[in-house]
Amino acid sequence: MSARPRLRSLAAAVAALPLLLAATLLPSAAAAEPDQYVALGDSYAAGNGTGWPDLSLSCYRSSLAYAPLVAKARPNTSLSFKACSGAETGDVTGGQTAALSASTDFVTISIGGNDVGFTDLILSCFSSWDELLCRSTVAKVDSRIDAQLPAKLDATYADIRTRAPGAKVMVVGYPKPFGASVSCTQASGVNSRESVLLNGVAAHLDRVVAARAAAAGFTYLDPVPSFTGHDVCASTPYVWGKATGLLDIYHPTKAGYRDGFAPLVRAAMG
């Protein structure tokens, strides 16, 4: 074989090198693109109960809330954490959903409790021995859940779908705070009849949230099985009672976020 054909072969190989490199590197670059995860919602998403609002004091965003825990455990996941303590549906559509885009892969949202009067329940039931006042407030909250909440959730979910058309959206429900016994310091001020009423409100809220999530084509994540056996009076509670800071009352504990909520979200993400 003459030198000239060998030179031509070498030149052809050199010329093809950029194409070979591109074919090798492009798939790696695509694989390195992180999942875009946006976490929306209220105090149950922001992290109230952790006692550690290290990411935002005004919104009580905590690195120990379920969204940061999930993002940290998943390889190559970028989190935009917008949940804020005290948020209602209007706060989600009025600001939080601006973080969504066509590139968003995953969305979680916990919302609805403040719209129907979660704070009213605390003031009327959790801090009072007046059972009649508690019953009256429960009736008002139940009425709001049926009469007002569905339309608010529908509008919120529609906004999410419009802004993030390709995302998997996971709607996270609310746990029940009480178990069979309310004989502990954490349940101080709540009798057995009131605990049944309050668990009933949580179940009612979850039913409506789950129904509207299904209507929107979203995935509903039910926390009740994970939280069962970990009520406020349990040896390992996933929910705080009264023996904690005011902003944390009846919110998930660190264990509740870590072992109750986070596994549900991770499993749903796949």
Side-chain angles (χ1 to χ4, degrees), residues 2 8 14 25 44 59 73-74 76 92 115 122 135 148 174 202 204 210 218 222 234 244-245 250 257:
S2 68
R8 284 200 297 267
V14 171
L25 294 175
Y44 279 74
C59 277
R74 283 178 56 85
N76 209 31
V92 174
D115 289 85
I122 292 178
R135 288 182 176 278
Q148 301 174 17
Y174 295 90
H204 185 191
F218 295 166
D222 181 7
T244 185
Y250 294 95
Y257 285 106

Side-chain angles (χ1 to χ4, degrees), residues 148-174:
Q148 301 174 17
L149 190 60
K152 292 182 177 182
L153 292 176
D154 287 348
T156 302
Y157 297 161
D159 186 41
I160 291 171
R161 178 50 73 215
T162 298
R163 293 174 182 268
K168 179 171 185 177
V169 182
M170 292 154 283
V171 177
V172 184
Y174 295 90

Side-chain angles (χ1 to χ4, degrees), residues 37 65-75 77 261-263 265-266 269:
Y37 170 26
Y66 66 76
L69 293 176
V70 168
K72 185 177 180 180
R74 283 178 56 85
T77 297
F261 280 135
V265 177
R266 285 201 304 269
M269 282 185 172

Side-chain angles (χ1 to χ4, degrees), residues 173-187:
Y174 295 90
K176 297 177 182 178
F178 300 103
S181 172
V182 290
S183 299
C184 69
T185 302
Q186 291 283 1

